[in-house]
Amino acid sequence: MEKNYRAELTGVFGDPVDGNPTGVMEEAGYEALGLNFRYITMKVTKDDFPDAMRAVRALHMKGVNLTMPHKIDVLPYLDDISQAARIIGAVNTVTVRDDGTMFGENTDGKGFVQALKNNGESPEGRNIVILGAGGAARAISVECALAGAKKLTIINRTLERAKELAGLIASRTPAEAEYAAWTENMPVPEDTGILINATCIGLAPDSDNRPDIDYSTIRPGMVVTDVVFNPADTLFLKAASGRGAKTISGLGMLACQGALNFTLWTGKEAPLDVLENKLREEFGQL
Ligand code: NDP
């Protein structure tokens, strides 16, 4: 039989994109499973995005991740989109199916819910407090609401964004939604089941920083999670752990998201431990 030397191509389009760690994680997974797949990190400006999407077809790519500023601009190119991505209004993963049609998914929030499950937790029936109302907060809150969360409380520095996100949850999902402005030394509501930092506060090189909340109101029984993945053990999580809460890192969420992309493109279950260890190695945290 003739040998096949052609690699299957995947990658990410973004600008800026140089610091995006997804490629090393996905390629470690491809290598571990002996797959002839590649993941290329590509700078694509907003103006060049239509050409880049034509290239996805011309190069017979299996799919691409999208990051800033393309997550919304990609929508007109898609033939099909997941329920969550439609509600979120943004896609971070495109899969080119065998028949050439393009499917859009948002794996940010799904990765978060999967990381909860891998740690024996679930959004179902829980009151969830989210700090932040940006892209990550939006994806996470929609997925948690679709996964059966009882109530989402969105707390954000810019009140208008919190209001908009709470309105989206209340109108498009079965969950209840509230919003509030972020006040100084803000107490965590007593009935909180899961508290999430969905801001970039604490992300390296800002790792000496943590969200301004009253940490004495965090109690054992609460689950506290961070979207920040570098460092994995943020000051926010350290403080929450010190108060007896169960903590789950953003690195786990990123690895779970990578695993979902991996399966969408290859049709195979991802080696999650390989993906997670590669990220730890990359961030000098092994
Ligand atoms: P956005 O820019 O869309 O949103 C940033 C959010 O953080 C906004 O709510 C913003 O508030 C808030 N914020 C920023 N600085 C401060 C501050 N000093 N005080 C209070 N609030 C602040 O970013 P994303 O949502 O896309 O990303 C957020 C983080 O999530 C990043 O660190 C990103 O790396 C991480 N991430 C992690 C993933 C993972 O898999 N672990 C996946 C995706 C993202 P305001 O509206 O007032 O500006």
Side-chain angles (χ1 to χ4, degrees), residues 202 207-209 224 226 228-242 247-252 280 283 285:
S207 47
D208 289 338
N209 216 342
V224 177
D226 207 327
V228 170
F229 49 78
N230 182 22
D233 200 11
T234 56
L235 284 190
F236 175 68
L237 293 183
K238 280 184 184 153
S241 175
T247 59
I248 301 173
S249 83
L251 193 135
R280 286 189 193 282
F283 302 143
Q285 288 164 26

mmCIF file with all atom_site columns, all heavy atoms in Angstrom, residues 202 207-209 224 226 228-242 247-252 280 283 285:
data_model
loop_
_atom_site.group_PDB
_atom_site.id
_atom_site.type_symbol
_atom_site.label_atom_id
_atom_site.label_alt_id
_atom_site.label_comp_id
_atom_site.label_asym_id
_atom_site.label_entity_id
_atom_site.label_seq_id
_atom_site.pdbx_PDB_ins_code
_atom_site.Cartn_x
_atom_site.Cartn_y
_atom_site.Cartn_z
_atom_site.occupancy
_atom_site.B_iso_or_equiv
_atom_site.pdbx_formal_charge
_atom_site.auth_seq_id
_atom_site.auth_comp_id
_atom_site.auth_asym_id
_atom_site.auth_atom_id
_atom_site.pdbx_PDB_model_num
ATOM 1   N N   . GLY A 1 202 ? -4.400  38.117 38.220 1.00 0.00 ? 202 GLY A N   1
ATOM 2   C CA  . GLY A 1 202 ? -3.575  37.018 38.720 1.00 0.00 ? 202 GLY A CA  1
ATOM 3   C C   . GLY A 1 202 ? -2.783  36.318 37.636 1.00 0.00 ? 202 GLY A C   1
ATOM 4   O O   . GLY A 1 202 ? -1.919  35.493 37.923 1.00 0.00 ? 202 GLY A O   1
ATOM 5   N N   . SER A 1 207 ? 0.996   37.929 38.685 1.00 0.00 ? 207 SER A N   1
ATOM 6   C CA  . SER A 1 207 ? 0.640   36.821 39.580 1.00 0.00 ? 207 SER A CA  1
ATOM 7   C C   . SER A 1 207 ? 0.662   37.186 41.068 1.00 0.00 ? 207 SER A C   1
ATOM 8   O O   . SER A 1 207 ? 0.254   36.378 41.903 1.00 0.00 ? 207 SER A O   1
ATOM 9   C CB  . SER A 1 207 ? 1.529   35.610 39.313 1.00 0.00 ? 207 SER A CB  1
ATOM 10  O OG  . SER A 1 207 ? 2.860   36.011 39.238 1.00 0.00 ? 207 SER A OG  1
ATOM 11  N N   . ASP A 1 208 ? 1.128   38.426 41.414 1.00 0.00 ? 208 ASP A N   1
ATOM 12  C CA  . ASP A 1 208 ? 1.081   38.850 42.819 1.00 0.00 ? 208 ASP A CA  1
ATOM 13  C C   . ASP A 1 208 ? -0.280  39.451 43.169 1.00 0.00 ? 208 ASP A C   1
ATOM 14  O O   . ASP A 1 208 ? -0.482  39.959 44.267 1.00 0.00 ? 208 ASP A O   1
ATOM 15  C CB  . ASP A 1 208 ? 2.167   39.907 43.097 1.00 0.00 ? 208 ASP A CB  1
ATOM 16  C CG  . ASP A 1 208 ? 3.547   39.279 43.071 1.00 0.00 ? 208 ASP A CG  1
ATOM 17  O OD1 . ASP A 1 208 ? 3.622   38.049 43.259 1.00 0.00 ? 208 ASP A OD1 1
ATOM 18  O OD2 . ASP A 1 208 ? 4.522   40.011 42.841 1.00 0.00 ? 208 ASP A OD2 1
ATOM 19  N N   . ASN A 1 209 ? -1.172  39.445 42.206 1.00 0.00 ? 209 ASN A N   1
ATOM 20  C CA  . ASN A 1 209 ? -2.475  40.083 42.390 1.00 0.00 ? 209 ASN A CA  1
ATOM 21  C C   . ASN A 1 209 ? -3.583  39.033 42.550 1.00 0.00 ? 209 ASN A C   1
ATOM 22  O O   . ASN A 1 209 ? -3.441  37.904 42.101 1.00 0.00 ? 209 ASN A O   1
ATOM 23  C CB  . ASN A 1 209 ? -2.778  40.947 41.163 1.00 0.00 ? 209 ASN A CB  1
ATOM 24  C CG  . ASN A 1 209 ? -3.519  42.206 41.529 1.00 0.00 ? 209 ASN A CG  1
ATOM 25  O OD1 . ASN A 1 209 ? -4.105  42.302 42.609 1.00 0.00 ? 209 ASN A OD1 1
ATOM 26  N ND2 . ASN A 1 209 ? -3.512  43.172 40.627 1.00 0.00 ? 209 ASN A ND2 1
ATOM 27  N N   . VAL A 1 224 ? -14.127 26.615 44.639 1.00 0.00 ? 224 VAL A N   1
ATOM 28  C CA  . VAL A 1 224 ? -13.579 27.879 44.112 1.00 0.00 ? 224 VAL A CA  1
ATOM 29  C C   . VAL A 1 224 ? -12.676 27.568 42.931 1.00 0.00 ? 224 VAL A C   1
ATOM 30  O O   . VAL A 1 224 ? -11.765 26.732 43.039 1.00 0.00 ? 224 VAL A O   1
ATOM 31  C CB  . VAL A 1 224 ? -12.822 28.648 45.219 1.00 0.00 ? 224 VAL A CB  1
ATOM 32  C CG1 . VAL A 1 224 ? -12.203 29.921 44.656 1.00 0.00 ? 224 VAL A CG1 1
ATOM 33  C CG2 . VAL A 1 224 ? -13.776 28.988 46.371 1.00 0.00 ? 224 VAL A CG2 1
ATOM 34  N N   . ASP A 1 226 ? -10.620 29.055 39.150 1.00 0.00 ? 226 ASP A N   1
ATOM 35  C CA  . ASP A 1 226 ? -9.993  30.202 38.498 1.00 0.00 ? 226 ASP A CA  1
ATOM 36  C C   . ASP A 1 226 ? -9.855  29.907 37.010 1.00 0.00 ? 226 ASP A C   1
ATOM 37  O O   . ASP A 1 226 ? -9.527  28.779 36.641 1.00 0.00 ? 226 ASP A O   1
ATOM 38  C CB  . ASP A 1 226 ? -8.584  30.397 39.112 1.00 0.00 ? 226 ASP A CB  1
ATOM 39  C CG  . ASP A 1 226 ? -8.120  31.835 39.034 1.00 0.00 ? 226 ASP A CG  1
ATOM 40  O OD1 . ASP A 1 226 ? -8.489  32.514 38.057 1.00 0.00 ? 226 ASP A OD1 1
ATOM 41  O OD2 . ASP A 1 226 ? -7.398  32.271 39.936 1.00 0.00 ? 226 ASP A OD2 1
ATOM 42  N N   . VAL A 1 228 ? -7.646  31.644 35.293 1.00 0.00 ? 228 VAL A N   1
ATOM 43  C CA  . VAL A 1 228 ? -6.226  31.916 35.078 1.00 0.00 ? 228 VAL A CA  1
ATOM 44  C C   . VAL A 1 228 ? -5.468  30.592 35.144 1.00 0.00 ? 228 VAL A C   1
ATOM 45  O O   . VAL A 1 228 ? -5.632  29.835 36.094 1.00 0.00 ? 228 VAL A O   1
ATOM 46  C CB  . VAL A 1 228 ? -5.700  32.915 36.131 1.00 0.00 ? 228 VAL A CB  1
ATOM 47  C CG1 . VAL A 1 228 ? -4.181  33.024 36.072 1.00 0.00 ? 228 VAL A CG1 1
ATOM 48  C CG2 . VAL A 1 228 ? -6.345  34.285 35.922 1.00 0.00 ? 228 VAL A CG2 1
ATOM 49  N N   . PHE A 1 229 ? -4.664  30.326 34.095 1.00 0.00 ? 229 PHE A N   1
ATOM 50  C CA  . PHE A 1 229 ? -3.976  29.027 34.024 1.00 0.00 ? 229 PHE A CA  1
ATOM 51  C C   . PHE A 1 229 ? -2.481  29.124 34.267 1.00 0.00 ? 229 PHE A C   1
ATOM 52  O O   . PHE A 1 229 ? -1.811  28.113 34.408 1.00 0.00 ? 229 PHE A O   1
ATOM 53  C CB  . PHE A 1 229 ? -4.256  28.356 32.667 1.00 0.00 ? 229 PHE A CB  1
ATOM 54  C CG  . PHE A 1 229 ? -4.045  29.244 31.481 1.00 0.00 ? 229 PHE A CG  1
ATOM 55  C CD1 . PHE A 1 229 ? -2.769  29.513 31.012 1.00 0.00 ? 229 PHE A CD1 1
ATOM 56  C CD2 . PHE A 1 229 ? -5.127  29.832 30.842 1.00 0.00 ? 229 PHE A CD2 1
ATOM 57  C CE1 . PHE A 1 229 ? -2.573  30.342 29.920 1.00 0.00 ? 229 PHE A CE1 1
ATOM 58  C CE2 . PHE A 1 229 ? -4.941  30.664 29.752 1.00 0.00 ? 229 PHE A CE2 1
ATOM 59  C CZ  . PHE A 1 229 ? -3.656  30.924 29.289 1.00 0.00 ? 229 PHE A CZ  1
ATOM 60  N N   . ASN A 1 230 ? -1.945  30.339 34.285 1.00 0.00 ? 230 ASN A N   1
ATOM 61  C CA  . ASN A 1 230 ? -0.517  30.526 34.534 1.00 0.00 ? 230 ASN A CA  1
ATOM 62  C C   . ASN A 1 230 ? -0.324  31.711 35.466 1.00 0.00 ? 230 ASN A C   1
ATOM 63  O O   . ASN A 1 230 ? -0.539  32.840 35.044 1.00 0.00 ? 230 ASN A O   1
ATOM 64  C CB  . ASN A 1 230 ? 0.219   30.774 33.208 1.00 0.00 ? 230 ASN A CB  1
ATOM 65  C CG  . ASN A 1 230 ? 1.718   30.928 33.414 1.00 0.00 ? 230 ASN A CG  1
ATOM 66  O OD1 . ASN A 1 230 ? 2.254   30.478 34.417 1.00 0.00 ? 230 ASN A OD1 1
ATOM 67  N ND2 . ASN A 1 230 ? 2.372   31.579 32.474 1.00 0.00 ? 230 ASN A ND2 1
ATOM 68  N N   . PRO A 1 231 ? 0.014   31.459 36.748 1.00 0.00 ? 231 PRO A N   1
ATOM 69  C CA  . PRO A 1 231 ? 0.321   30.171 37.353 1.00 0.00 ? 231 PRO A CA  1
ATOM 70  C C   . PRO A 1 231 ? -0.942  29.338 37.592 1.00 0.00 ? 231 PRO A C   1
ATOM 71  O O   . PRO A 1 231 ? -2.049  29.889 37.671 1.00 0.00 ? 231 PRO A O   1
ATOM 72  C CB  . PRO A 1 231 ? 0.953   30.574 38.693 1.00 0.00 ? 231 PRO A CB  1
ATOM 73  C CG  . PRO A 1 231 ? 0.301   31.873 39.032 1.00 0.00 ? 231 PRO A CG  1
ATOM 74  C CD  . PRO A 1 231 ? 0.099   32.573 37.720 1.00 0.00 ? 231 PRO A CD  1
ATOM 75  N N   . ALA A 1 232 ? -0.764  28.020 37.725 1.00 0.00 ? 232 ALA A N   1
ATOM 76  C CA  . ALA A 1 232 ? -1.921  27.161 37.992 1.00 0.00 ? 232 ALA A CA  1
ATOM 77  C C   . ALA A 1 232 ? -2.447  27.406 39.405 1.00 0.00 ? 232 ALA A C   1
ATOM 78  O O   . ALA A 1 232 ? -3.653  27.447 39.639 1.00 0.00 ? 232 ALA A O   1
ATOM 79  C CB  . ALA A 1 232 ? -1.528  25.698 37.825 1.00 0.00 ? 232 ALA A CB  1
ATOM 80  N N   . ASP A 1 233 ? -1.511  27.599 40.347 1.00 0.00 ? 233 ASP A N   1
ATOM 81  C CA  . ASP A 1 233 ? -1.915  27.817 41.737 1.00 0.00 ? 233 ASP A CA  1
ATOM 82  C C   . ASP A 1 233 ? -1.884  29.324 42.021 1.00 0.00 ? 233 ASP A C   1
ATOM 83  O O   . ASP A 1 233 ? -0.894  29.851 42.517 1.00 0.00 ? 233 ASP A O   1
ATOM 84  C CB  . ASP A 1 233 ? -0.954  27.049 42.655 1.00 0.00 ? 233 ASP A CB  1
ATOM 85  C CG  . ASP A 1 233 ? -1.561  26.817 44.020 1.00 0.00 ? 233 ASP A CG  1
ATOM 86  O OD1 . ASP A 1 233 ? -2.777  27.066 44.183 1.00 0.00 ? 233 ASP A OD1 1
ATOM 87  O OD2 . ASP A 1 233 ? -0.825  26.397 44.925 1.00 0.00 ? 233 ASP A OD2 1
ATOM 88  N N   . THR A 1 234 ? -2.978  30.005 41.677 1.00 0.00 ? 234 THR A N   1
ATOM 89  C CA  . THR A 1 234 ? -3.025  31.465 41.811 1.00 0.00 ? 234 THR A CA  1
ATOM 90  C C   . THR A 1 234 ? -3.185  31.869 43.281 1.00 0.00 ? 234 THR A C   1
ATOM 91  O O   . THR A 1 234 ? -3.605  31.057 44.119 1.00 0.00 ? 234 THR A O   1
ATOM 92  C CB  . THR A 1 234 ? -4.226  32.031 41.024 1.00 0.00 ? 234 THR A CB  1
ATOM 93  O OG1 . THR A 1 234 ? -5.409  31.385 41.515 1.00 0.00 ? 234 THR A OG1 1
ATOM 94  C CG2 . THR A 1 234 ? -4.084  31.764 39.536 1.00 0.00 ? 234 THR A CG2 1
ATOM 95  N N   . LEU A 1 235 ? -2.902  33.137 43.573 1.00 0.00 ? 235 LEU A N   1
ATOM 96  C CA  . LEU A 1 235 ? -3.121  33.642 44.943 1.00 0.00 ? 235 LEU A CA  1
ATOM 97  C C   . LEU A 1 235 ? -4.578  33.484 45.341 1.00 0.00 ? 235 LEU A C   1
ATOM 98  O O   . LEU A 1 235 ? -4.902  33.211 46.497 1.00 0.00 ? 235 LEU A O   1
ATOM 99  C CB  . LEU A 1 235 ? -2.729  35.122 45.034 1.00 0.00 ? 235 LEU A CB  1
ATOM 100 C CG  . LEU A 1 235 ? -1.246  35.477 45.071 1.00 0.00 ? 235 LEU A CG  1
ATOM 101 C CD1 . LEU A 1 235 ? -1.075  36.954 45.404 1.00 0.00 ? 235 LEU A CD1 1
ATOM 102 C CD2 . LEU A 1 235 ? -0.497  34.616 46.082 1.00 0.00 ? 235 LEU A CD2 1
ATOM 103 N N   . PHE A 1 236 ? -5.482  33.674 44.369 1.00 0.00 ? 236 PHE A N   1
ATOM 104 C CA  . PHE A 1 236 ? -6.930  33.521 44.606 1.00 0.00 ? 236 PHE A CA  1
ATOM 105 C C   . PHE A 1 236 ? -7.233  32.103 45.109 1.00 0.00 ? 236 PHE A C   1
ATOM 106 O O   . PHE A 1 236 ? -7.905  31.924 46.138 1.00 0.00 ? 236 PHE A O   1
ATOM 107 C CB  . PHE A 1 236 ? -7.653  33.807 43.283 1.00 0.00 ? 236 PHE A CB  1
ATOM 108 C CG  . PHE A 1 236 ? -9.139  33.585 43.289 1.00 0.00 ? 236 PHE A CG  1
ATOM 109 C CD1 . PHE A 1 236 ? -9.981  34.392 44.026 1.00 0.00 ? 236 PHE A CD1 1
ATOM 110 C CD2 . PHE A 1 236 ? -9.709  32.576 42.509 1.00 0.00 ? 236 PHE A CD2 1
ATOM 111 C CE1 . PHE A 1 236 ? -11.363 34.203 44.011 1.00 0.00 ? 236 PHE A CE1 1
ATOM 112 C CE2 . PHE A 1 236 ? -11.076 32.377 42.483 1.00 0.00 ? 236 PHE A CE2 1
ATOM 113 C CZ  . PHE A 1 236 ? -11.903 33.192 43.232 1.00 0.00 ? 236 PHE A CZ  1
ATOM 114 N N   . LEU A 1 237 ? -6.705  31.104 44.419 1.00 0.00 ? 237 LEU A N   1
ATOM 115 C CA  . LEU A 1 237 ? -6.961  29.711 44.818 1.00 0.00 ? 237 LEU A CA  1
ATOM 116 C C   . LEU A 1 237 ? -6.268  29.381 46.137 1.00 0.00 ? 237 LEU A C   1
ATOM 117 O O   . LEU A 1 237 ? -6.832  28.673 46.975 1.00 0.00 ? 237 LEU A O   1
ATOM 118 C CB  . LEU A 1 237 ? -6.504  28.746 43.720 1.00 0.00 ? 237 LEU A CB  1
ATOM 119 C CG  . LEU A 1 237 ? -7.295  28.791 42.412 1.00 0.00 ? 237 LEU A CG  1
ATOM 120 C CD1 . LEU A 1 237 ? -6.782  27.719 41.448 1.00 0.00 ? 237 LEU A CD1 1
ATOM 121 C CD2 . LEU A 1 237 ? -8.799  28.603 42.633 1.00 0.00 ? 237 LEU A CD2 1
ATOM 122 N N   . LYS A 1 238 ? -5.060  29.908 46.327 1.00 0.00 ? 238 LYS A N   1
ATOM 123 C CA  . LYS A 1 238 ? -4.349  29.647 47.585 1.00 0.00 ? 238 LYS A CA  1
ATOM 124 C C   . LYS A 1 238 ? -5.152  30.184 48.769 1.00 0.00 ? 238 LYS A C   1
ATOM 125 O O   . LYS A 1 238 ? -5.294  29.513 49.797 1.00 0.00 ? 238 LYS A O   1
ATOM 126 C CB  . LYS A 1 238 ? -2.971  30.311 47.557 1.00 0.00 ? 238 LYS A CB  1
ATOM 127 C CG  . LYS A 1 238 ? -1.932  29.522 46.784 1.00 0.00 ? 238 LYS A CG  1
ATOM 128 C CD  . LYS A 1 238 ? -0.577  30.212 46.895 1.00 0.00 ? 238 LYS A CD  1
ATOM 129 C CE  . LYS A 1 238 ? 0.466   29.504 46.062 1.00 0.00 ? 238 LYS A CE  1
ATOM 130 N NZ  . LYS A 1 238 ? 1.534   30.360 45.604 1.00 0.00 ? 238 LYS A NZ  1
ATOM 131 N N   . ALA A 1 239 ? -5.675  31.409 48.623 1.00 0.00 ? 239 ALA A N   1
ATOM 132 C CA  . ALA A 1 239 ? -6.449  32.015 49.714 1.00 0.00 ? 239 ALA A CA  1
ATOM 133 C C   . ALA A 1 239 ? -7.729  31.220 49.975 1.00 0.00 ? 239 ALA A C   1
ATOM 134 O O   . ALA A 1 239 ? -8.109  30.989 51.125 1.00 0.00 ? 239 ALA A O   1
ATOM 135 C CB  . ALA A 1 239 ? -6.780  33.470 49.377 1.00 0.00 ? 239 ALA A CB  1
ATOM 136 N N   . ALA A 1 240 ? -8.380  30.781 48.891 1.00 0.00 ? 240 ALA A N   1
ATOM 137 C CA  . ALA A 1 240 ? -9.630  30.016 49.044 1.00 0.00 ? 240 ALA A CA  1
ATOM 138 C C   . ALA A 1 240 ? -9.354  28.674 49.713 1.00 0.00 ? 240 ALA A C   1
ATOM 139 O O   . ALA A 1 240 ? -10.110 28.229 50.587 1.00 0.00 ? 240 ALA A O   1
ATOM 140 C CB  . ALA A 1 240 ? -10.275 29.811 47.682 1.00 0.00 ? 240 ALA A CB  1
ATOM 141 N N   . SER A 1 241 ? -8.253  28.048 49.313 1.00 0.00 ? 241 SER A N   1
ATOM 142 C CA  . SER A 1 241 ? -7.877  26.764 49.907 1.00 0.00 ? 241 SER A CA  1
ATOM 143 C C   . SER A 1 241 ? -7.577  26.948 51.396 1.00 0.00 ? 241 SER A C   1
ATOM 144 O O   . SER A 1 241 ? -7.965  26.111 52.236 1.00 0.00 ? 241 SER A O   1
ATOM 145 C CB  . SER A 1 241 ? -6.656  26.231 49.150 1.00 0.00 ? 241 SER A CB  1
ATOM 146 O OG  . SER A 1 241 ? -6.186  25.081 49.738 1.00 0.00 ? 241 SER A OG  1
ATOM 147 N N   . GLY A 1 242 ? -6.935  28.067 51.733 1.00 0.00 ? 242 GLY A N   1
ATOM 148 C CA  . GLY A 1 242 ? -6.638  28.385 53.127 1.00 0.00 ? 242 GLY A CA  1
ATOM 149 C C   . GLY A 1 242 ? -7.893  28.550 53.970 1.00 0.00 ? 242 GLY A C   1
ATOM 150 O O   . GLY A 1 242 ? -7.860  28.375 55.194 1.00 0.00 ? 242 GLY A O   1
ATOM 151 N N   . THR A 1 247 ? -10.579 23.673 45.666 1.00 0.00 ? 247 THR A N   1
ATOM 152 C CA  . THR A 1 247 ? -10.173 24.540 44.551 1.00 0.00 ? 247 THR A CA  1
ATOM 153 C C   . THR A 1 247 ? -9.872  23.727 43.289 1.00 0.00 ? 247 THR A C   1
ATOM 154 O O   . THR A 1 247 ? -9.395  22.593 43.371 1.00 0.00 ? 247 THR A O   1
ATOM 155 C CB  . THR A 1 247 ? -8.936  25.388 44.921 1.00 0.00 ? 247 THR A CB  1
ATOM 156 O OG1 . THR A 1 247 ? -7.864  24.513 45.262 1.00 0.00 ? 247 THR A OG1 1
ATOM 157 C CG2 . THR A 1 247 ? -9.223  26.315 46.077 1.00 0.00 ? 247 THR A CG2 1
ATOM 158 N N   . ILE A 1 248 ? -10.174 24.353 42.142 1.00 0.00 ? 248 ILE A N   1
ATOM 159 C CA  . ILE A 1 248 ? -9.927  23.729 40.828 1.00 0.00 ? 248 ILE A CA  1
ATOM 160 C C   . ILE A 1 248 ? -9.263  24.788 39.944 1.00 0.00 ? 248 ILE A C   1
ATOM 161 O O   . ILE A 1 248 ? -9.777  25.902 39.803 1.00 0.00 ? 248 ILE A O   1
ATOM 162 C CB  . ILE A 1 248 ? -11.249 23.236 40.187 1.00 0.00 ? 248 ILE A CB  1
ATOM 163 C CG1 . ILE A 1 248 ? -11.933 22.207 41.110 1.00 0.00 ? 248 ILE A CG1 1
ATOM 164 C CG2 . ILE A 1 248 ? -10.997 22.651 38.810 1.00 0.00 ? 248 ILE A CG2 1
ATOM 165 C CD1 . ILE A 1 248 ? -13.314 21.774 40.664 1.00 0.00 ? 248 ILE A CD1 1
ATOM 166 N N   . SER A 1 249 ? -8.126  24.419 39.320 1.00 0.00 ? 249 SER A N   1
ATOM 167 C CA  . SER A 1 249 ? -7.332  25.425 38.608 1.00 0.00 ? 249 SER A CA  1
ATOM 168 C C   . SER A 1 249 ? -7.769  25.631 37.153 1.00 0.00 ? 249 SER A C   1
ATOM 169 O O   . SER A 1 249 ? -8.394  24.763 36.542 1.00 0.00 ? 249 SER A O   1
ATOM 170 C CB  . SER A 1 249 ? -5.857  25.028 38.619 1.00 0.00 ? 249 SER A CB  1
ATOM 171 O OG  . SER A 1 249 ? -5.621  24.112 37.571 1.00 0.00 ? 249 SER A OG  1
ATOM 172 N N   . GLY A 1 250 ? -7.399  26.785 36.611 1.00 0.00 ? 250 GLY A N   1
ATOM 173 C CA  . GLY A 1 250 ? -7.677  27.117 35.208 1.00 0.00 ? 250 GLY A CA  1
ATOM 174 C C   . GLY A 1 250 ? -6.870  26.266 34.249 1.00 0.00 ? 250 GLY A C   1
ATOM 175 O O   . GLY A 1 250 ? -7.238  26.127 33.078 1.00 0.00 ? 250 GLY A O   1
ATOM 176 N N   . LEU A 1 251 ? -5.776  25.700 34.739 1.00 0.00 ? 251 LEU A N   1
ATOM 177 C CA  . LEU A 1 251 ? -4.959  24.839 33.878 1.00 0.00 ? 251 LEU A CA  1
ATOM 178 C C   . LEU A 1 251 ? -5.739  23.576 33.500 1.00 0.00 ? 251 LEU A C   1
ATOM 179 O O   . LEU A 1 251 ? -5.681  23.106 32.374 1.00 0.00 ? 251 LEU A O   1
ATOM 180 C CB  . LEU A 1 251 ? -3.653  24.497 34.594 1.00 0.00 ? 251 LEU A CB  1
ATOM 181 C CG  . LEU A 1 251 ? -2.581  23.867 33.731 1.00 0.00 ? 251 LEU A CG  1
ATOM 182 C CD1 . LEU A 1 251 ? -1.228  24.521 34.001 1.00 0.00 ? 251 LEU A CD1 1
ATOM 183 C CD2 . LEU A 1 251 ? -2.494  22.389 33.978 1.00 0.00 ? 251 LEU A CD2 1
ATOM 184 N N   . GLY A 1 252 ? -6.508  23.066 34.466 1.00 0.00 ? 252 GLY A N   1
ATOM 185 C CA  . GLY A 1 252 ? -7.351  21.898 34.189 1.00 0.00 ? 252 GLY A CA  1
ATOM 186 C C   . GLY A 1 252 ? -8.411  22.230 33.152 1.00 0.00 ? 252 GLY A C   1
ATOM 187 O O   . GLY A 1 252 ? -8.703  21.435 32.250 1.00 0.00 ? 252 GLY A O   1
ATOM 188 N N   . ARG A 1 280 ? 1.843   22.153 32.197 1.00 0.00 ? 280 ARG A N   1
ATOM 189 C CA  . ARG A 1 280 ? 2.625   22.393 33.430 1.00 0.00 ? 280 ARG A CA  1
ATOM 190 C C   . ARG A 1 280 ? 4.103   22.563 33.094 1.00 0.00 ? 280 ARG A C   1
ATOM 191 O O   . ARG A 1 280 ? 4.782   23.435 33.626 1.00 0.00 ? 280 ARG A O   1
ATOM 192 C CB  . ARG A 1 280 ? 2.444   21.230 34.414 1.00 0.00 ? 280 ARG A CB  1
ATOM 193 C CG  . ARG A 1 280 ? 1.092   21.250 35.082 1.00 0.00 ? 280 ARG A CG  1
ATOM 194 C CD  . ARG A 1 280 ? 0.983   20.243 36.219 1.00 0.00 ? 280 ARG A CD  1
ATOM 195 N NE  . ARG A 1 280 ? -0.396  20.103 36.598 1.00 0.00 ? 280 ARG A NE  1
ATOM 196 C CZ  . ARG A 1 280 ? -1.075  20.962 37.349 1.00 0.00 ? 280 ARG A CZ  1
ATOM 197 N NH1 . ARG A 1 280 ? -0.470  22.023 37.840 1.00 0.00 ? 280 ARG A NH1 1
ATOM 198 N NH2 . ARG A 1 280 ? -2.362  20.780 37.610 1.00 0.00 ? 280 ARG A NH2 1
ATOM 199 N N   . PHE A 1 283 ? 4.740   25.940 31.564 1.00 0.00 ? 283 PHE A N   1
ATOM 200 C CA  . PHE A 1 283 ? 4.685   27.055 32.522 1.00 0.00 ? 283 PHE A CA  1
ATOM 201 C C   . PHE A 1 283 ? 5.672   26.850 33.677 1.00 0.00 ? 283 PHE A C   1
ATOM 202 O O   . PHE A 1 283 ? 5.595   27.535 34.696 1.00 0.00 ? 283 PHE A O   1
ATOM 203 C CB  . PHE A 1 283 ? 3.265   27.230 33.078 1.00 0.00 ? 283 PHE A CB  1
ATOM 204 C CG  . PHE A 1 283 ? 2.218   27.470 32.017 1.00 0.00 ? 283 PHE A CG  1
ATOM 205 C CD1 . PHE A 1 283 ? 0.940   26.936 32.134 1.00 0.00 ? 283 PHE A CD1 1
ATOM 206 C CD2 . PHE A 1 283 ? 2.516   28.235 30.895 1.00 0.00 ? 283 PHE A CD2 1
ATOM 207 C CE1 . PHE A 1 283 ? -0.013  27.150 31.151 1.00 0.00 ? 283 PHE A CE1 1
ATOM 208 C CE2 . PHE A 1 283 ? 1.568   28.445 29.905 1.00 0.00 ? 283 PHE A CE2 1
ATOM 209 C CZ  . PHE A 1 283 ? 0.300   27.902 30.031 1.00 0.00 ? 283 PHE A CZ  1
ATOM 210 N N   . GLN A 1 285 ? 5.894   24.389 35.840 1.00 0.00 ? 285 GLN A N   1
ATOM 211 C CA  . GLN A 1 285 ? 5.212   24.003 37.082 1.00 0.00 ? 285 GLN A CA  1
ATOM 212 C C   . GLN A 1 285 ? 5.108   22.500 37.278 1.00 0.00 ? 285 GLN A C   1
ATOM 213 O O   . GLN A 1 285 ? 4.195   22.014 37.936 1.00 0.00 ? 285 GLN A O   1
ATOM 214 C CB  . GLN A 1 285 ? 3.809   24.629 37.105 1.00 0.00 ? 285 GLN A CB  1
ATOM 215 C CG  . GLN A 1 285 ? 3.887   26.118 37.342 1.00 0.00 ? 285 GLN A CG  1
ATOM 216 C CD  . GLN A 1 285 ? 2.620   26.840 36.997 1.00 0.00 ? 285 GLN A CD  1
ATOM 217 O OE1 . GLN A 1 285 ? 1.554   26.264 37.030 1.00 0.00 ? 285 GLN A OE1 1
ATOM 218 N NE2 . GLN A 1 285 ? 2.751   28.114 36.676 1.00 0.00 ? 285 GLN A NE2 1
#
